[in-house]
Every structure is written in C-alpha cells, then in structure tokens.
Amino acid sequence: ADEYDPSTEVLTSDEYLGVVTEILREIYRATPAARVDVNASSRYTNTPKELVCGHFEHAAKGIFRSLAVDEDVLNSRMARGIEAMKWEVRKLGDPVVSEQLDYVLYQASSEKRYPNGVRDKGRVGMRLADFVNHPSARLADLKEAHVAALRLYTTAAFKAINDPLRDLDRIQSGRPHPLPVITNLIVRGISKLKAVGSDSRSAVLTIALWRGMKNVVTSQGFRDRGGTELAPMSTTTELSTAVAYSLPSEQSLLFKIVTKNSLQRGADLQWLSAFPQEAEVLYPPLTFLQPIPGRNQTLKFGGIVFTVVEVEPSNSA
C-alpha cells in the first residue's frame, strides 16, 4: 500500500490501518484459484460508474415531490398503518419484498445466512412486538408501523424502496413511487429517533460515520457542488463494515461523514436491524452531502484504488 502521509490525511493512522486490513482480508478471502497478483490492474472486472445523486433542489423540494403522491392522500393512507404497508406490498407483487414483510410482521426472528451476514444473529425468537416495546422505540414514540417499516428496510427489501427514489425520470414525469407509505414511515421514523440520546453528553460529541461503495467514482459536479442522496442513506459507525461493502472493487469510494452533534446524524438502527452487526445509522432520503474542500485522500493498493472523501451532511426531513 502507499505510505501513510499525515500531512494529507482524511483518515487517522488507525483508520488508515483499518482500511488496509480490510483490503488484505478481501484479497485473501478469495479461494486460491481466484487470487491474483495484487499489483495486477485486472484484480476486478467491473467498470467504475459515477455516483448517482440529485441536486440541491431535490433536497429542497422535499419527500412528497420525490414520492409523487399528494400529501393529503398519503397521510390518509398512512393512518391505516400496517394494513397500508401490506396493501402496497401486495400491489407491488415482488416476491422478495413479500417474503421479507411476512418475516418482519409475523415470524419470530431467526438466523439465516445472507451475502451480507447472518440475519438476526444472536437475537433468535424476537417478535415485532418486542421491537415495538424496545426502550428506543418507546422514547421516540414509534408506532408499530414505524418499527415495521424501518426493520423492513434493513432486509433485502431495501432495493424496492431505493431504486424508484433514485429514478430521476420517474420523479420528473410525476409517476408515483410504488411504496410511498412504507417510504414515508421510514422518513418519519428516522426523524422521531433523533430524540434517542438527545439529552446525553454524546449528543454533542463529534462522531465519524462511514459509507462504502464499490466500483463508484464521484463526478466533477459532486466534487464542486455536492449532491443529494435521493434514497435513504445507510452509514455505519464501524469502518470495517463500510470498507467491506466497498469490496471487491478496483475503484472503491468511502465517505467519511464527520458529525458534530446528533442532529447531523441519522438514526441508530442497530437495536432493530435484521443485521445488527452492521451497526447501521440511517439517514432519510434527500440528505445533501457537501464535500469538505481539500479533505480527500487516495489510497492505492496494487490494482485497488480507494478514494476517501470527507463530507458534511444536511437534510430537509
């Protein structure tokens, strides 16, 4: 790897070593037959793509514009809570989403291996009611539907929420999001969870969060002006988790999100997440990310290029 130069650091020396350690783990995690020389440029074959994000005005116009559903109509549907969630999922007709919703609503938590880890590891036998009665849920005044929607997002169902939110053609043409109730329950749940820990000393501590992406580069427009994450934005307090999500890749992007207080942070979902080991902190859709001038760092490890960008978040939710 390149030598660590503290004069240009975005990462601290410990964070730098953490990134390098995860890269080494990825290289040697492969089977012997799949391993190649780390100095070869063809370590991975995917072509990097530009980070997809919206503009400042997308954040300013708010969630109802992104959902393309009348606010009064949506509020009326949301009053039906869980029943509205079930109706949306039936209408969507996606078997993956249907399976995950059934798990969240009606099944006791159980361990099952997925590509990103073991579902509900160490948390067997919990029902939705147990999460609704969790101290964080009670403190934030979360309803059953908020908890269910947030927990659903931490499963494989997240793509059915994120992909339409990132579809700028859909937004421009005014086509409704297929899961507006579930999406808005997530937005409101994140907002409510800001109450958790707001009266503690940690509320005003500076904390770094991380977001890793594989085969992604930033555009010149993002570097100059920033950009809006159109979907909910998953971050983590665990650097190793973010780095693992950015691999395998020839061109990895890592956001270091330095927050100065809890109002700049998303919602800690570890207590309800289907994958608690990820230590997920979730931001609402339409979070604007502003790169900090001069705060970027490139690490090169053989054929792997790791770009670290420090950003400041703000959201209109």
Side-chain angles (χ1 to χ4, degrees), residues 204-222:
V204 291
L205 290 180
T206 297
I207 295 175
L209 300 172
W210 305 92
R211 177 169 172 78
M213 291 157 278
K214 65 178 66 176
N215 297 307
V216 172
V217 295
T218 57
S219 66
Q220 188 62 51
F222 180 86

Side-chain angles (χ1 to χ4, degrees), residues 3 17 19 24 31 53 68 78 89 91 93 117 125-126 131 140 195 220 226 233 238 242 247-248 271 294 306 308 314:
E3 293 185 2
L17 290 173
V19 171
L24 286 170
T31 63
C53 57
M78 289 185 65
V89 170
K91 187 177 179 182
M126 292 186 67
F131 295 103
Q220 188 62 51
M233 184 175 74
E238 296 294 328
L247 296 170
W271 60 276
F306 232 97
V308 186
S314 58

Side-chain angles (χ1 to χ4, degrees), residues 40 47 55 91 140 145:
T47 301
H55 303 300
K91 187 177 179 182

Side-chain angles (χ1 to χ4, degrees), residues 49-91:
K49 58 182 181 292
E50 281 195 352
L51 177 69
V52 175
C53 57
H55 303 300
F56 185 85
E57 58 265 30
H58 289 108
K61 289 178 180 177
I63 190 63
F64 292 104
R65 170 64 185 274
S66 293
L67 295 175
V69 177
D70 179 80
E71 184 172 357
D72 291 336
V73 171
L74 184 53
N75 286 336
S76 176
R77 293 181 189 172
M78 289 185 65
R80 297 172 54 218
I82 295 292
E83 290 303 313
M85 293 177 61
K86 291 162 57 178
W87 178 83
E88 283 187 345
V89 170
R90 282 196 302 269
K91 187 177 179 182

Side-chain angles (χ1 to χ4, degrees), residues 175-298:
R175 285 184 284 116
H177 190 291
L179 301 174
V181 169
I182 292 173
T183 303
N184 206 33
L185 284 167
I186 291 167
V187 172
R188 293 189 183 182
I190 292 171
S191 179
K192 283 173 168 284
L193 281 167
K194 287 186 181 294
V196 178
S198 60
D199 59 348
S200 70
R201 292 183 61 185
S202 64
V204 291
L205 290 180
T206 297
I207 295 175
L209 300 172
W210 305 92
R211 177 169 172 78
M213 291 157 278
K214 65 178 66 176
N215 297 307
V216 172
V217 295
T218 57
S219 66
Q220 188 62 51
F222 180 86
R223 293 191 291 272
D224 290 343
R225 299 180 298 276
T228 298
E229 170 53 85
L230 298 164
M233 184 175 74
S234 296
T235 68
T236 177
T237 56
E238 296 294 328
L239 174 58
S240 60
T241 297
V243 175
Y245 265 98
S246 66
L247 296 170
S249 172
E250 284 186 350
Q251 186 79 50
S252 294
L253 178 62
L254 185 67
F255 282 155
K256 182 177 183 178
I257 306 166
V258 179
T259 65
K260 297 178 181 178
N261 59 67
S262 63
L263 294 178
Q264 290 187 312
R265 293 189 275 277
D268 181 355
L269 298 189
Q270 189 170 30
W271 60 276
L272 63 67
S273 174
F275 297 91
Q277 66 274 16
E278 293 180 344
E280 181 172 5
V281 177
L282 186 65
Y283 281 84
L286 308 180
T287 296
F288 186 77
L289 299 175
Q290 181 73 55
I292 307 301
R295 300 291 290 165
N296 56 78
Q297 185 175 358
T298 300

